[in-house]
Amino acid sequence: MDTERPIQNEDLTGRARIRDAALEVFAERGAKGATVQLIAAAAGVSTGLIRHHFGSKEGLRRACDEHAIGVLLDQARRAMEEDTAASGFVDSMYRASSAGLRYLARALVEGSPAATDLFDAGAVLAERFLTEHDPVRYPPGAATTRDTATAMGAVQLSTLVLHTHLDRRMGVDTLDVAHTPRVVAAMAGVHTVMAEFLAGERGRPIADSLTPRPPSAPPEEER
């Protein structure tokens, strides 16, 4: 009688259960505070089973990176390769699972390599958006374009990193997908009111002083 398939299915279920428990423990305790013992207790398994599936805590963390961040990173890379907009990537990020978002928030703070790659990929997509939207102000490859795109990425991800403060002030779990529209609407409100202020009488002098000048044309002899 073939008994291999049920064992494989059980292994897959156990592996996923450990990974999901690890996402929550890593998010709460951080990479240093999340011990194998805590993860095993949260998953209801032995530490030996964790070693069987992942080899070590670092191997388990890599699996969490791949599950919570890898899909988003692959999507961002495809967007860059296919020259598509960043909107789908950003939307997918904010609609990920609550456990995945909490893990990503902690990984961004702690400097996970996968989270660093994700931030950089998002910044590249932001550079493309800026250049397509206003190529005179944000020409490809310019330092101003890179700086602005980097700041855009930081602003977008700040709601994840600072989610406990948003939760306290807004009175909801802002990493729950049910409240994503509320967070997005608040962010849109910030951009709208700031754009209106900078376009108005009081804000225009500030905007004028901060607006980068377009690159000057090269001298005749260099053309």
Side-chain angles (χ1 to χ4, degrees):
M1 185 172 68
D2 183 8
T3 59
E4 290 186 3
R5 185 171 297 277
I7 293 174
Q8 289 173 351
N9 289 341
E10 182 179 346
D11 282 351
L12 289 173
T13 301
R15 181 182 176 88
R17 186 168 72 251
I18 294 169
R19 182 204 62 214
D20 290 348
L23 285 172
E24 296 183 359
V25 177
F26 277 125
E28 180 181 354
R29 301 275 185 151
K32 291 183 179 179
T35 65
V36 172
Q37 290 75 17
L38 285 173
I39 295 170
V45 300
S46 68
T47 57
L49 192 59
I50 292 179
R51 288 192 294 272
H52 167 72
H53 282 299
F54 302 98
S56 65
K57 187 177 86 169
E58 188 55 36
L60 176 54
R61 190 186 183 199
R62 286 194 298 269
C64 288
D65 272 0
E66 178 59 30
H67 179 73
I69 304 174
V71 173
L72 294 172
L73 185 55
D74 287 344
Q75 185 175 346
R77 286 170 174 163
R78 283 198 303 272
M80 288 187 283
E81 292 171 359
E82 299 169 6
D83 197 26
T84 56
S87 56
F89 160 67
V90 174
D91 181 69
S92 295
M93 182 176 67
Y94 281 95
R95 294 186 183 280
S97 70
S98 177
L101 281 178
R102 294 176 202 283
Y103 179 86
L104 173 57
R106 190 79 185 218
L108 285 164
V109 172
E110 296 191 337
S112 159
T116 299
D117 289 344
L118 182 66
F119 183 97
D120 290 347
V124 171
L125 288 172
E127 286 188 49
R128 178 183 299 166
F129 168 80
L130 290 168
T131 298
E132 291 175 350
H133 180 70
D134 192 341
V136 174
R137 181 179 296 179
Y138 299 111
T144 299
T145 306
R146 182 182 179 87
D147 291 350
T148 305
T150 301
M152 282 180 66
V155 169
Q156 291 288 349
L157 293 171
S158 66
T159 56
L160 300 184
V161 175
L162 299 174
H163 68 92
T164 56
H165 298 287
L166 269 70
D167 295 352
R168 176 171 49 81
R169 293 285 299 174
M170 298 176 72
V172 296
D173 180 357
T174 54
L175 294 188
D176 187 325
V177 68
H179 302 297
T180 295
R182 183 173 170 184
V183 177
V184 173
M187 291 289 288
V190 171
H191 295 308
T192 299
V193 73
M194 288 306 300
E196 292 173 350
F197 171 75
L198 292 173
E201 183 178 351
R202 293 175 58 195
R204 193 175 299 113
I206 299 174
D208 291 343
S209 69
L210 297 176
T211 300
R213 297 178 179 178
S216 57
E220 285 290 337
E221 61 269 18
E222 295 182 9
R223 294 180 183 175

